[in-house]
PDB file of all heavy atoms in Angstrom:
ATOM      1  N   GLY A   1       0.850  -1.214  -0.007  1.00 95.00           N
ATOM      2  CA  GLY A   1       0.002  -0.013   0.010  1.00 95.00           C
ATOM      3  C   GLY A   1       0.805   1.266   0.001  1.00 95.00           C
ATOM      4  O   GLY A   1       2.148   1.188   0.020  1.00 95.00           O
ATOM      5  N   GLY A   2       0.185   2.405  -0.017  1.00 97.00           N
ATOM      6  CA  GLY A   2       0.876   3.715   0.024  1.00 97.00           C
ATOM      7  C   GLY A   2      -0.124   4.759   0.257  1.00 97.00           C
ATOM      8  O   GLY A   2      -1.384   4.447   0.396  1.00 97.00           O
ATOM      9  N   MET A   3       0.313   6.002   0.275  1.00 97.00           N
ATOM     10  CA  MET A   3      -0.624   7.068   0.497  1.00 97.00           C
ATOM     11  C   MET A   3      -0.218   8.263  -0.312  1.00 97.00           C
ATOM     12  O   MET A   3       1.041   8.586  -0.477  1.00 97.00           O
ATOM     13  CB  MET A   3      -0.747   7.430   1.942  1.00 97.00           C
ATOM     14  CG  MET A   3       0.458   8.108   2.566  1.00 97.00           C
ATOM     15  SD  MET A   3       1.050   7.357   4.098  1.00 97.00           S
ATOM     16  CE  MET A   3       1.651   5.685   3.546  1.00 97.00           C
ATOM     17  N   LEU A   4      -1.091   8.976  -0.965  1.00 98.00           N
ATOM     18  CA  LEU A   4      -0.928  10.222  -1.650  1.00 98.00           C
ATOM     19  C   LEU A   4      -0.680  11.329  -0.686  1.00 98.00           C
ATOM     20  O   LEU A   4      -1.448  11.598   0.236  1.00 98.00           O
ATOM     21  CB  LEU A   4      -2.155  10.545  -2.524  1.00 98.00           C
ATOM     22  CG  LEU A   4      -1.956  11.574  -3.558  1.00 98.00           C
ATOM     23  CD1 LEU A   4      -0.992  11.216  -4.678  1.00 98.00           C
ATOM     24  CD2 LEU A   4      -3.319  12.016  -4.181  1.00 98.00           C
ATOM     25  N   ILE A   5       0.460  12.076  -0.844  1.00 98.00           N
ATOM     26  CA  ILE A   5       0.724  13.202   0.029  1.00 98.00           C
ATOM     27  C   ILE A   5       0.675  14.615  -0.621  1.00 98.00           C
ATOM     28  O   ILE A   5       0.715  15.622  -0.016  1.00 98.00           O
ATOM     29  CB  ILE A   5       2.131  13.083   0.710  1.00 98.00           C
ATOM     30  CG1 ILE A   5       3.269  12.988  -0.329  1.00 98.00           C
ATOM     31  CG2 ILE A   5       2.224  11.804   1.623  1.00 98.00           C
ATOM     32  CD1 ILE A   5       4.636  13.089   0.262  1.00 98.00           C
ATOM     33  N   ASN A   6       0.595  14.547  -1.970  1.00 96.00           N
ATOM     34  CA  ASN A   6       0.403  15.741  -2.756  1.00 96.00           C
ATOM     35  C   ASN A   6      -0.063  15.282  -4.170  1.00 96.00           C
ATOM     36  O   ASN A   6      -0.395  14.053  -4.339  1.00 96.00           O
ATOM     37  CB  ASN A   6       1.605  16.624  -2.789  1.00 96.00           C
ATOM     38  CG  ASN A   6       2.875  15.895  -3.198  1.00 96.00           C
ATOM     39  OD1 ASN A   6       2.906  15.157  -4.167  1.00 96.00           O
ATOM     40  ND2 ASN A   6       3.925  16.033  -2.336  1.00 96.00           N
ATOM     41  N   ASP A   7      -0.042  16.156  -5.169  1.00 95.00           N
ATOM     42  CA  ASP A   7      -0.522  15.745  -6.461  1.00 95.00           C
ATOM     43  C   ASP A   7       0.403  14.931  -7.247  1.00 95.00           C
ATOM     44  O   ASP A   7       0.131  14.492  -8.417  1.00 95.00           O
ATOM     45  CB  ASP A   7      -0.959  17.037  -7.218  1.00 95.00           C
ATOM     46  CG  ASP A   7       0.183  17.915  -7.684  1.00 95.00           C
ATOM     47  OD1 ASP A   7       1.250  17.798  -7.018  1.00 95.00           O
ATOM     48  OD2 ASP A   7       0.033  18.657  -8.590  1.00 95.00           O
ATOM     49  N   ARG A   8       1.649  14.777  -6.808  1.00 96.00           N
ATOM     50  CA  ARG A   8       2.708  14.104  -7.573  1.00 96.00           C
ATOM     51  C   ARG A   8       3.440  12.974  -6.877  1.00 96.00           C
ATOM     52  O   ARG A   8       4.153  12.205  -7.538  1.00 96.00           O
ATOM     53  CB  ARG A   8       3.658  15.204  -7.967  1.00 96.00           C
ATOM     54  CG  ARG A   8       4.724  14.767  -8.990  1.00 96.00           C
ATOM     55  CD  ARG A   8       5.141  15.885  -9.918  1.00 96.00           C
ATOM     56  NE  ARG A   8       5.035  15.435 -11.345  1.00 96.00           N
ATOM     57  CZ  ARG A   8       5.083  16.333 -12.316  1.00 96.00           C
ATOM     58  NH1 ARG A   8       5.141  17.640 -12.059  1.00 96.00           N
ATOM     59  NH2 ARG A   8       5.072  15.861 -13.525  1.00 96.00           N
ATOM     60  N   TYR A   9       3.314  12.857  -5.592  1.00 98.00           N
ATOM     61  CA  TYR A   9       4.094  11.830  -4.884  1.00 98.00           C
ATOM     62  C   TYR A   9       3.221  10.953  -3.987  1.00 98.00           C
ATOM     63  O   TYR A   9       2.319  11.407  -3.294  1.00 98.00           O
ATOM     64  CB  TYR A   9       5.173  12.570  -3.993  1.00 98.00           C
ATOM     65  CG  TYR A   9       6.263  13.152  -4.764  1.00 98.00           C
ATOM     66  CD1 TYR A   9       6.175  14.469  -5.259  1.00 98.00           C
ATOM     67  CD2 TYR A   9       7.453  12.441  -4.971  1.00 98.00           C
ATOM     68  CE1 TYR A   9       7.256  15.031  -5.967  1.00 98.00           C
ATOM     69  CE2 TYR A   9       8.531  13.049  -5.700  1.00 98.00           C
ATOM     70  CZ  TYR A   9       8.384  14.301  -6.219  1.00 98.00           C
ATOM     71  OH  TYR A   9       9.425  14.854  -6.892  1.00 98.00           O
ATOM     72  N   VAL A  10       3.675   9.708  -3.988  1.00 98.00           N
ATOM     73  CA  VAL A  10       3.087   8.702  -3.004  1.00 98.00           C
ATOM     74  C   VAL A  10       4.178   8.324  -1.999  1.00 98.00           C
ATOM     75  O   VAL A  10       5.344   8.134  -2.436  1.00 98.00           O
ATOM     76  CB  VAL A  10       2.672   7.456  -3.849  1.00 98.00           C
ATOM     77  CG1 VAL A  10       2.418   6.248  -2.838  1.00 98.00           C
ATOM     78  CG2 VAL A  10       1.308   7.819  -4.532  1.00 98.00           C
ATOM     79  N   MET A  11       3.793   8.170  -0.735  1.00 98.00           N
ATOM     80  CA  MET A  11       4.694   7.744   0.233  1.00 98.00           C
ATOM     81  C   MET A  11       4.447   6.283   0.518  1.00 98.00           C
ATOM     82  O   MET A  11       3.303   5.913   0.648  1.00 98.00           O
ATOM     83  CB  MET A  11       4.614   8.647   1.491  1.00 98.00           C
ATOM     84  CG  MET A  11       5.679   8.324   2.569  1.00 98.00           C
ATOM     85  SD  MET A  11       5.895   9.689   3.663  1.00 98.00           S
ATOM     86  CE  MET A  11       4.268   9.651   4.448  1.00 98.00           C
ATOM     87  N   THR A  12       5.486   5.423   0.728  1.00 98.00           N
ATOM     88  CA  THR A  12       5.307   4.140   1.055  1.00 98.00           C
ATOM     89  C   THR A  12       6.450   3.626   1.924  1.00 98.00           C
ATOM     90  O   THR A  12       7.355   4.428   2.303  1.00 98.00           O
ATOM     91  CB  THR A  12       5.168   3.228  -0.251  1.00 98.00           C
ATOM     92  OG1 THR A  12       4.792   1.963   0.117  1.00 98.00           O
ATOM     93  CG2 THR A  12       6.434   3.260  -1.053  1.00 98.00           C
ATOM     94  N   ALA A  13       6.612   2.312   2.158  1.00 96.00           N
ATOM     95  CA  ALA A  13       7.711   1.808   2.876  1.00 96.00           C
ATOM     96  C   ALA A  13       8.919   1.541   1.909  1.00 96.00           C
ATOM     97  O   ALA A  13       8.666   1.097   0.751  1.00 96.00           O
ATOM     98  CB  ALA A  13       7.338   0.473   3.581  1.00 96.00           C
ATOM     99  N   ALA A  14      10.089   1.784   2.372  1.00 97.00           N
ATOM    100  CA  ALA A  14      11.269   1.540   1.426  1.00 97.00           C
ATOM    101  C   ALA A  14      11.420   0.027   1.086  1.00 97.00           C
ATOM    102  O   ALA A  14      11.835  -0.277   0.006  1.00 97.00           O
ATOM    103  CB  ALA A  14      12.629   1.961   2.140  1.00 97.00           C
ATOM    104  N   HIS A  15      10.991  -0.861   2.044  1.00 94.00           N
ATOM    105  CA  HIS A  15      11.131  -2.311   1.683  1.00 94.00           C
ATOM    106  C   HIS A  15      10.147  -2.725   0.593  1.00 94.00           C
ATOM    107  O   HIS A  15      10.243  -3.831   0.004  1.00 94.00           O
ATOM    108  CB  HIS A  15      10.975  -3.185   2.934  1.00 94.00           C
ATOM    109  CG  HIS A  15       9.549  -3.346   3.421  1.00 94.00           C
ATOM    110  ND1 HIS A  15       9.024  -2.680   4.482  1.00 94.00           N
ATOM    111  CD2 HIS A  15       8.628  -4.193   3.075  1.00 94.00           C
ATOM    112  CE1 HIS A  15       7.815  -3.068   4.746  1.00 94.00           C
ATOM    113  NE2 HIS A  15       7.506  -3.982   3.802  1.00 94.00           N
ATOM    114  N   CYS A  16       9.124  -1.854   0.347  1.00 94.00           N
ATOM    115  CA  CYS A  16       8.187  -2.147  -0.773  1.00 94.00           C
ATOM    116  C   CYS A  16       8.780  -1.850  -2.128  1.00 94.00           C
ATOM    117  O   CYS A  16       8.246  -2.232  -3.169  1.00 94.00           O
ATOM    118  CB  CYS A  16       6.903  -1.345  -0.572  1.00 94.00           C
ATOM    119  SG  CYS A  16       5.813  -1.961   0.672  1.00 94.00           S
ATOM    120  N   VAL A  17       9.953  -1.109  -2.162  1.00 94.00           N
ATOM    121  CA  VAL A  17      10.445  -0.677  -3.474  1.00 94.00           C
ATOM    122  C   VAL A  17      11.953  -0.967  -3.606  1.00 94.00           C
ATOM    123  O   VAL A  17      12.479  -0.968  -4.748  1.00 94.00           O
ATOM    124  CB  VAL A  17      10.231   0.798  -3.691  1.00 94.00           C
ATOM    125  CG1 VAL A  17       8.789   1.097  -3.947  1.00 94.00           C
ATOM    126  CG2 VAL A  17      10.765   1.708  -2.595  1.00 94.00           C
ATOM    127  N   LYS A  18      12.589  -1.327  -2.494  1.00 90.00           N
ATOM    128  CA  LYS A  18      14.040  -1.564  -2.615  1.00 90.00           C
ATOM    129  C   LYS A  18      14.411  -2.738  -3.495  1.00 90.00           C
ATOM    130  O   LYS A  18      13.950  -3.860  -3.279  1.00 90.00           O
ATOM    131  CB  LYS A  18      14.687  -1.791  -1.246  1.00 90.00           C
ATOM    132  CG  LYS A  18      16.178  -2.131  -1.249  1.00 90.00           C
ATOM    133  CD  LYS A  18      16.765  -2.372   0.114  1.00 90.00           C
ATOM    134  CE  LYS A  18      18.176  -2.807   0.083  1.00 90.00           C
ATOM    135  NZ  LYS A  18      19.097  -1.840  -0.658  1.00 90.00           N
ATOM    136  N   GLY A  19      15.170  -2.468  -4.511  1.00 88.00           N
ATOM    137  CA  GLY A  19      15.576  -3.540  -5.439  1.00 88.00           C
ATOM    138  C   GLY A  19      14.534  -3.925  -6.486  1.00 88.00           C
ATOM    139  O   GLY A  19      14.829  -4.626  -7.398  1.00 88.00           O
ATOM    140  N   PHE A  20      13.377  -3.374  -6.408  1.00 90.00           N
ATOM    141  CA  PHE A  20      12.330  -3.619  -7.487  1.00 90.00           C
ATOM    142  C   PHE A  20      12.621  -2.901  -8.712  1.00 90.00           C
ATOM    143  O   PHE A  20      13.315  -1.849  -8.698  1.00 90.00           O
ATOM    144  CB  PHE A  20      10.888  -3.189  -6.948  1.00 90.00           C
ATOM    145  CG  PHE A  20      10.336  -4.153  -5.943  1.00 90.00           C
ATOM    146  CD1 PHE A  20      10.778  -4.317  -4.678  1.00 90.00           C
ATOM    147  CD2 PHE A  20       9.177  -4.827  -6.309  1.00 90.00           C
ATOM    148  CE1 PHE A  20      10.179  -5.132  -3.747  1.00 90.00           C
ATOM    149  CE2 PHE A  20       8.562  -5.696  -5.399  1.00 90.00           C
ATOM    150  CZ  PHE A  20       9.051  -5.908  -4.171  1.00 90.00           C
ATOM    151  N   MET A  21      12.135  -3.365  -9.817  1.00 91.00           N
ATOM    152  CA  MET A  21      12.227  -2.642 -11.106  1.00 91.00           C
ATOM    153  C   MET A  21      11.112  -1.637 -11.013  1.00 91.00           C
ATOM    154  O   MET A  21       9.889  -1.916 -11.198  1.00 91.00           O
ATOM    155  CB  MET A  21      11.992  -3.594 -12.255  1.00 91.00           C
ATOM    156  CG  MET A  21      13.176  -4.582 -12.419  1.00 91.00           C
ATOM    157  SD  MET A  21      13.054  -5.572 -13.946  1.00 91.00           S
ATOM    158  CE  MET A  21      11.723  -6.690 -13.475  1.00 91.00           C
ATOM    159  N   TRP A  22      11.468  -0.335 -10.659  1.00 87.00           N
ATOM    160  CA  TRP A  22      10.516   0.686 -10.357  1.00 87.00           C
ATOM    161  C   TRP A  22       9.549   0.909 -11.545  1.00 87.00           C
ATOM    162  O   TRP A  22       8.378   1.329 -11.289  1.00 87.00           O
ATOM    163  CB  TRP A  22      11.191   1.963 -10.003  1.00 87.00           C
ATOM    164  CG  TRP A  22      12.251   2.330 -10.974  1.00 87.00           C
ATOM    165  CD1 TRP A  22      13.622   2.088 -10.984  1.00 87.00           C
ATOM    166  CD2 TRP A  22      12.058   3.149 -12.178  1.00 87.00           C
ATOM    167  NE1 TRP A  22      14.226   2.572 -12.035  1.00 87.00           N
ATOM    168  CE2 TRP A  22      13.323   3.317 -12.743  1.00 87.00           C
ATOM    169  CE3 TRP A  22      10.957   3.783 -12.727  1.00 87.00           C
ATOM    170  CZ2 TRP A  22      13.550   4.054 -13.972  1.00 87.00           C
ATOM    171  CZ3 TRP A  22      11.138   4.472 -13.840  1.00 87.00           C
ATOM    172  CH2 TRP A  22      12.421   4.658 -14.563  1.00 87.00           C
ATOM    173  N   PHE A  23       9.991   0.683 -12.789  1.00 88.00           N
ATOM    174  CA  PHE A  23       9.088   0.931 -13.913  1.00 88.00           C
ATOM    175  C   PHE A  23       8.034  -0.116 -14.048  1.00 88.00           C
ATOM    176  O   PHE A  23       7.129   0.067 -14.884  1.00 88.00           O
ATOM    177  CB  PHE A  23       9.927   1.093 -15.225  1.00 88.00           C
ATOM    178  CG  PHE A  23      10.884  -0.143 -15.408  1.00 88.00           C
ATOM    179  CD1 PHE A  23      10.407  -1.283 -16.020  1.00 88.00           C
ATOM    180  CD2 PHE A  23      12.174  -0.095 -15.019  1.00 88.00           C
ATOM    181  CE1 PHE A  23      11.262  -2.295 -16.194  1.00 88.00           C
ATOM    182  CE2 PHE A  23      13.034  -1.104 -15.296  1.00 88.00           C
ATOM    183  CZ  PHE A  23      12.582  -2.265 -15.790  1.00 88.00           C
ATOM    184  N   MET A  24       8.034  -1.154 -13.255  1.00 93.00           N
ATOM    185  CA  MET A  24       7.049  -2.193 -13.282  1.00 93.00           C
ATOM    186  C   MET A  24       5.999  -2.017 -12.183  1.00 93.00           C
ATOM    187  O   MET A  24       5.068  -2.789 -12.031  1.00 93.00           O
ATOM    188  CB  MET A  24       7.669  -3.623 -13.221  1.00 93.00           C
ATOM    189  CG  MET A  24       8.499  -4.010 -14.362  1.00 93.00           C
ATOM    190  SD  MET A  24       7.567  -4.047 -15.970  1.00 93.00           S
ATOM    191  CE  MET A  24       6.372  -5.308 -15.603  1.00 93.00           C
ATOM    192  N   ILE A  25       6.152  -0.940 -11.409  1.00 94.00           N
ATOM    193  CA  ILE A  25       5.212  -0.662 -10.298  1.00 94.00           C
ATOM    194  C   ILE A  25       4.070   0.241 -10.785  1.00 94.00           C
ATOM    195  O   ILE A  25       4.373   1.224 -11.466  1.00 94.00           O
ATOM    196  CB  ILE A  25       5.916   0.006  -9.128  1.00 94.00           C
ATOM    197  CG1 ILE A  25       6.994  -0.861  -8.583  1.00 94.00           C
ATOM    198  CG2 ILE A  25       4.885   0.314  -8.070  1.00 94.00           C
ATOM    199  CD1 ILE A  25       7.790  -0.204  -7.482  1.00 94.00           C
ATOM    200  N   LYS A  26       2.909  -0.315 -10.635  1.00 95.00           N
ATOM    201  CA  LYS A  26       1.622   0.519 -11.087  1.00 95.00           C
ATOM    202  C   LYS A  26       0.974   0.933  -9.746  1.00 95.00           C
ATOM    203  O   LYS A  26       0.779   0.186  -8.870  1.00 95.00           O
ATOM    204  CB  LYS A  26       0.796  -0.251 -11.918  1.00 95.00           C
ATOM    205  CG  LYS A  26      -0.499   0.439 -12.413  1.00 95.00           C
ATOM    206  CD  LYS A  26      -1.265  -0.275 -13.478  1.00 95.00           C
ATOM    207  CE  LYS A  26      -2.038  -1.412 -12.739  1.00 95.00           C
ATOM    208  NZ  LYS A  26      -2.963  -2.087 -13.731  1.00 95.00           N
ATOM    209  N   VAL A  27       0.594   2.216  -9.756  1.00 97.00           N
ATOM    210  CA  VAL A  27      -0.122   2.754  -8.596  1.00 97.00           C
ATOM    211  C   VAL A  27      -1.552   3.099  -8.906  1.00 97.00           C
ATOM    212  O   VAL A  27      -1.769   3.730  -9.930  1.00 97.00           O
ATOM    213  CB  VAL A  27       0.634   3.993  -8.037  1.00 97.00           C
ATOM    214  CG1 VAL A  27       0.020   4.479  -6.709  1.00 97.00           C
ATOM    215  CG2 VAL A  27       2.075   3.714  -7.798  1.00 97.00           C
ATOM    216  N   THR A  28      -2.508   2.689  -8.117  1.00 95.00           N
ATOM    217  CA  THR A  28      -3.908   3.021  -8.379  1.00 95.00           C
ATOM    218  C   THR A  28      -4.493   3.804  -7.221  1.00 95.00           C
ATOM    219  O   THR A  28      -4.074   3.670  -6.109  1.00 95.00           O
ATOM    220  CB  THR A  28      -4.762   1.791  -8.621  1.00 95.00           C
ATOM    221  OG1 THR A  28      -4.710   0.946  -7.444  1.00 95.00           O
ATOM    222  CG2 THR A  28      -4.227   1.001  -9.844  1.00 95.00           C
ATOM    223  N   PHE A  29      -5.438   4.703  -7.577  1.00 96.00           N
ATOM    224  CA  PHE A  29      -6.070   5.555  -6.614  1.00 96.00           C
ATOM    225  C   PHE A  29      -7.549   5.516  -6.699  1.00 96.00           C
ATOM    226  O   PHE A  29      -8.102   5.019  -7.751  1.00 96.00           O
ATOM    227  CB  PHE A  29      -5.677   7.070  -6.868  1.00 96.00           C
ATOM    228  CG  PHE A  29      -4.220   7.277  -6.786  1.00 96.00           C
ATOM    229  CD1 PHE A  29      -3.418   7.285  -8.008  1.00 96.00           C
ATOM    230  CD2 PHE A  29      -3.465   7.469  -5.607  1.00 96.00           C
ATOM    231  CE1 PHE A  29      -2.071   7.529  -7.959  1.00 96.00           C
ATOM    232  CE2 PHE A  29      -2.138   7.701  -5.596  1.00 96.00           C
ATOM    233  CZ  PHE A  29      -1.438   7.703  -6.804  1.00 96.00           C
ATOM    234  N   GLY A  30      -8.249   5.857  -5.660  1.00 90.00           N
ATOM    235  CA  GLY A  30      -9.732   5.772  -5.605  1.00 90.00           C
ATOM    236  C   GLY A  30     -10.278   4.416  -5.763  1.00 90.00           C
ATOM    237  O   GLY A  30     -11.458   4.178  -6.203  1.00 90.00           O
ATOM    238  N   GLU A  31      -9.521   3.428  -5.197  1.00 89.00           N
ATOM    239  CA  GLU A  31      -9.982   2.091  -5.303  1.00 89.00           C
ATOM    240  C   GLU A  31     -10.482   1.550  -3.945  1.00 89.00           C
ATOM    241  O   GLU A  31      -9.884   1.926  -2.925  1.00 89.00           O
ATOM    242  CB  GLU A  31      -8.787   1.158  -5.726  1.00 89.00           C
ATOM    243  CG  GLU A  31      -9.247  -0.199  -6.249  1.00 89.00           C
ATOM    244  CD  GLU A  31      -8.126  -0.878  -7.073  1.00 89.00           C
ATOM    245  OE1 GLU A  31      -7.049  -0.360  -7.145  1.00 89.00           O
ATOM    246  OE2 GLU A  31      -8.463  -1.941  -7.652  1.00 89.00           O
ATOM    247  N   HIS A  32     -11.561   0.774  -4.014  1.00 86.00           N
ATOM    248  CA  HIS A  32     -12.069   0.219  -2.767  1.00 86.00           C
ATOM    249  C   HIS A  32     -12.025  -1.349  -2.888  1.00 86.00           C
ATOM    250  O   HIS A  32     -11.342  -1.980  -2.069  1.00 86.00           O
ATOM    251  CB  HIS A  32     -13.515   0.687  -2.549  1.00 86.00           C
ATOM    252  CG  HIS A  32     -14.203  -0.041  -1.401  1.00 86.00           C
ATOM    253  ND1 HIS A  32     -13.808   0.249  -0.036  1.00 86.00           N
ATOM    254  CD2 HIS A  32     -15.201  -0.873  -1.296  1.00 86.00           C
ATOM    255  CE1 HIS A  32     -14.550  -0.491   0.748  1.00 86.00           C
ATOM    256  NE2 HIS A  32     -15.376  -1.171   0.074  1.00 86.00           N
ATOM    257  N   ASN A  33     -12.766  -1.943  -3.822  1.00 85.00           N
ATOM    258  CA  ASN A  33     -12.811  -3.365  -3.979  1.00 85.00           C
ATOM    259  C   ASN A  33     -11.742  -3.636  -5.166  1.00 85.00           C
ATOM    260  O   ASN A  33     -12.114  -3.536  -6.290  1.00 85.00           O
ATOM    261  CB  ASN A  33     -14.144  -3.776  -4.365  1.00 85.00           C
ATOM    262  CG  ASN A  33     -14.289  -5.348  -4.465  1.00 85.00           C
ATOM    263  OD1 ASN A  33     -13.219  -6.033  -4.484  1.00 85.00           O
ATOM    264  ND2 ASN A  33     -15.476  -5.883  -4.404  1.00 85.00           N
ATOM    265  N   ARG A  34     -10.604  -4.120  -4.816  1.00 85.00           N
ATOM    266  CA  ARG A  34      -9.621  -4.389  -5.807  1.00 85.00           C
ATOM    267  C   ARG A  34      -9.944  -5.580  -6.655  1.00 85.00           C
ATOM    268  O   ARG A  34      -9.308  -5.843  -7.676  1.00 85.00           O
ATOM    269  CB  ARG A  34      -8.262  -4.543  -5.147  1.00 85.00           C
ATOM    270  CG  ARG A  34      -8.113  -5.741  -4.213  1.00 85.00           C
ATOM    271  CD  ARG A  34      -6.712  -5.874  -3.668  1.00 85.00           C
ATOM    272  NE  ARG A  34      -6.682  -7.198  -2.952  1.00 85.00           N
ATOM    273  CZ  ARG A  34      -6.483  -8.306  -3.572  1.00 85.00           C
ATOM    274  NH1 ARG A  34      -6.239  -8.372  -4.868  1.00 85.00           N
ATOM    275  NH2 ARG A  34      -6.458  -9.427  -2.876  1.00 85.00           N
ATOM    276  N   CYS A  35     -10.890  -6.408  -6.221  1.00 82.00           N
ATOM    277  CA  CYS A  35     -11.245  -7.643  -6.947  1.00 82.00           C
ATOM    278  C   CYS A  35     -12.357  -7.328  -8.054  1.00 82.00           C
ATOM    279  O   CYS A  35     -12.701  -8.122  -8.829  1.00 82.00           O
ATOM    280  CB  CYS A  35     -11.752  -8.724  -6.045  1.00 82.00           C
ATOM    281  SG  CYS A  35     -10.542  -9.213  -4.806  1.00 82.00           S
ATOM    282  N   ASN A  36     -12.876  -6.030  -8.009  1.00 82.00           N
ATOM    283  CA  ASN A  36     -13.932  -5.664  -8.963  1.00 82.00           C
ATOM    284  C   ASN A  36     -13.316  -5.203 -10.154  1.00 82.00           C
ATOM    285  O   ASN A  36     -12.743  -4.054 -10.283  1.00 82.00           O
ATOM    286  CB  ASN A  36     -14.811  -4.639  -8.321  1.00 82.00           C
ATOM    287  CG  ASN A  36     -15.983  -4.234  -9.245  1.00 82.00           C
ATOM    288  OD1 ASN A  36     -16.081  -4.650 -10.287  1.00 82.00           O
ATOM    289  ND2 ASN A  36     -16.964  -3.490  -8.630  1.00 82.00           N
ATOM    290  N   THR A  37     -13.213  -6.066 -11.238  1.00 77.00           N
ATOM    291  CA  THR A  37     -12.537  -5.718 -12.445  1.00 77.00           C
ATOM    292  C   THR A  37     -13.349  -4.799 -13.413  1.00 77.00           C
ATOM    293  O   THR A  37     -12.856  -4.272 -14.435  1.00 77.00           O
ATOM    294  CB  THR A  37     -12.182  -6.984 -13.244  1.00 77.00           C
ATOM    295  OG1 THR A  37     -13.353  -7.737 -13.420  1.00 77.00           O
ATOM    296  CG2 THR A  37     -11.232  -7.882 -12.408  1.00 77.00           C
ATOM    297  N   THR A  38     -14.638  -4.515 -13.017  1.00 79.00           N
ATOM    298  CA  THR A  38     -15.423  -3.681 -13.889  1.00 79.00           C
ATOM    299  C   THR A  38     -15.164  -2.188 -13.550  1.00 79.00           C
ATOM    300  O   THR A  38     -15.501  -1.290 -14.397  1.00 79.00           O
ATOM    301  CB  THR A  38     -16.907  -3.945 -13.635  1.00 79.00           C
ATOM    302  OG1 THR A  38     -17.311  -3.702 -12.283  1.00 79.00           O
ATOM    303  CG2 THR A  38     -17.266  -5.405 -13.969  1.00 79.00           C
TER     304      THR A  38
END
């Protein structure tokens, strides 16, 4: 998870991104039921 702190940045834990291929991370907002594909 993460949280929006302004219009351009999300804050999260470093262990969620350390060593990850950052360009493969997708961030979504305004979501409640993540299983609802519609």
Side-chain angles (χ1 to χ4, degrees):
M3 68 231 69
L4 191 69
I5 59 171
N6 51 51
D7 68 338
R8 188 148 230 167
Y9 288 86
V10 165
M11 187 160 64
T12 188
H15 78 258
C16 285
V17 292
K18 179 179 173 59
F20 281 69
M21 292 187 287
W22 52 269
F23 51 84
M24 293 300 296
I25 298 174
K26 183 172 72 173
V27 187
T28 58
F29 304 94
E31 195 163 9
H32 175 68
N33 185 346
R34 64 177 188 82
C35 301
N36 186 348
T37 57
T38 62

